[in-house]
């Protein structure tokens, strides 16, 4: 390799590392909210007699906090596998919509890169990625989606989630009822912050309101996690109808 090629590769590597660091820095404020409810989940799992090996296996293989909380609430001995699988699918159904929103920005990537990137996608990394896409597009940068930035955030979230759920399982018997410390409030707080970052005015937020109302009514009237699917579908329909009004 010539000196010119070496210098060019070094510049690429430096830019990639800078993007990774930017993703890590962007995720830190949200990470402070993830840690408390990771501890709550780990402690709840320990109360259901999951071991220190089983907890990180669960959170690492099914990297989606909402469905993991639902599965732990439904966990019995022996567990009702079919019910847990069905509820997990319902709660995780929002990832279909999130993946569809990112898909246009991943089409240029081979599946061996795109699929692992989608595996570590969470609500938080998805929201950060979309906000960054919007900012880069406004600055005329191409491609608008920065994979190193996204992975910098997503992989930190993944490592923190698996680590702190395991820590919660270890400390659960010592701390007792961790919800009494108010850690569970971190979950809605994080999502309020993410929604604030995506706010574009009341008109654009009307599908959110429809989704919220339908999900709340379904939660009150229908047992199980059907409120997740109901909120997602109603939000999509509202967005389609309201867009057609313009």
């Amino acid at each position: 390799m010539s000196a010119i090629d070496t210098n060019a590769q070094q510049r690429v590597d430096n830019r990639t590392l800078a993007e990774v660091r930017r993703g890590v820095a962007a995720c830190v404020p949200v990470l402070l909210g993830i840690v408390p409810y990771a501890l709550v989940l780990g402690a709840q799992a320990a109360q259901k007699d999951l071991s220190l090996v089983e907890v990180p296996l669960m959170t690492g293989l099914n990297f989606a906090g909402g469905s993991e909380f639902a599965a732990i609430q439904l966990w019995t001995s022996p567990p009702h596998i079919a019910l847990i699988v069905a509820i997990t699918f319902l709660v995780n159904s929002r990832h279909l919509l999130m993946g569809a929103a990112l898909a246009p920005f991943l089409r240029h990537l081979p599946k061996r890169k795109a699929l692992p990137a989608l595996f570590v996608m969470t609500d938080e990394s998805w929201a950060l990625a979309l906000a960054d896409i919007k900012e880069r597009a406004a600055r005329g940068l191409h491609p608008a989606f920065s994979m190193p930035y996204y992975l910098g955030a997503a992989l930190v979230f993944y490592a923190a989630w698996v680590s702190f759920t395991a820590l919660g399982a270890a400390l659960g018997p010592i701390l007792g009822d961790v919800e009494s410390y108010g850690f569970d409030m971190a979950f809605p707080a994080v999502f309020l912050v993410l929604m604030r970052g995506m706010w574009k005015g009341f008109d654009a937020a009307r599908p959110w309101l429809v989704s919220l109302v339908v999900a709340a009514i379904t939660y009150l009237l229908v047992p199980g996690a059907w409120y997740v699917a109901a909120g997602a579908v109603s939000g999509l329909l509202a967005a389609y109808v309201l867009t057609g009004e313009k």
Side-chain angles (χ1 to χ4, degrees):
M1 182 178 294
S2 67
I4 295 177
D5 291 338
T6 301
N7 291 336
Q9 183 61 46
Q10 185 64 45
R11 286 194 295 270
V12 170
D13 292 343
N14 289 340
R15 284 197 297 268
T16 299
L17 184 58
E19 284 294 286
V20 171
R21 288 173 176 167
R22 194 168 63 86
V24 172
C27 82
V28 169
V30 182
L31 194 64
L32 297 177
I34 287 178
V35 169
Y37 64 86
L39 293 172
V40 170
L41 176 61
Q44 290 181 346
Q47 292 169 4
K48 294 286 187 172
D49 295 327
L50 270 70
S51 71
L52 287 178
V53 174
E54 291 168 336
V55 171
L57 278 175
M58 176 186 72
T59 57
L61 295 175
N62 176 44
F63 182 44
S67 64
E68 290 162 359
F69 274 102
I72 289 300
Q73 295 300 320
L74 294 170
W75 194 267
T76 57
S77 185
H80 300 289
I81 300 299
L83 175 61
I84 292 175
V85 169
I87 294 300
T88 297
F89 176 80
L90 282 175
V91 177
N92 285 349
S93 61
R94 71 190 189 281
H95 285 242
L96 298 174
L97 306 179
M98 292 157 56
L102 277 184
F105 306 102
L106 302 177
R107 286 176 180 164
H108 66 288
L109 296 174
K111 289 183 179 180
R112 58 185 170 81
K113 292 184 178 180
L115 294 180
L118 290 172
F119 173 77
V120 293
M121 179 185 70
T122 60
D123 303 87
E124 294 84 2
S125 59
W126 174 80
L128 288 175
L130 285 188
D132 189 60
I133 287 169
K134 179 181 177 182
E135 180 182 344
R136 286 172 60 87
R139 292 162 53 194
L141 297 177
H142 183 79
F145 176 73
S146 172
M147 178 63 84
Y149 169 88
Y150 169 80
L151 290 179
L155 292 178
V156 170
F157 284 139
Y158 182 85
W161 183 250
V162 175
S163 300
F164 281 97
T165 50
L167 181 61
L171 297 179
I174 301 173
L175 297 176
D177 182 12
V178 291
E179 292 188 13
S180 64
Y181 297 97
F183 285 174
D184 52 328
M185 283 301 297
F187 195 87
V190 167
F191 281 92
L192 288 174
V193 171
L194 294 177
M195 289 176 64
R196 177 64 184 88
M198 300 176 70
W199 181 260
K200 298 179 180 178
F202 179 76
D203 287 344
R206 287 185 295 171
W208 294 3
L209 179 61
V210 171
S211 178
L212 173 63
V213 171
V214 171
I217 294 173
T218 306
Y219 175 80
L220 293 173
L221 299 179
V222 182
W226 290 102
Y227 62 93
V228 177
V233 172
S234 62
L236 280 175
L237 291 176
Y240 177 77
V241 172
L242 294 172
T243 299
E245 291 179 357
K246 299 178 180 180

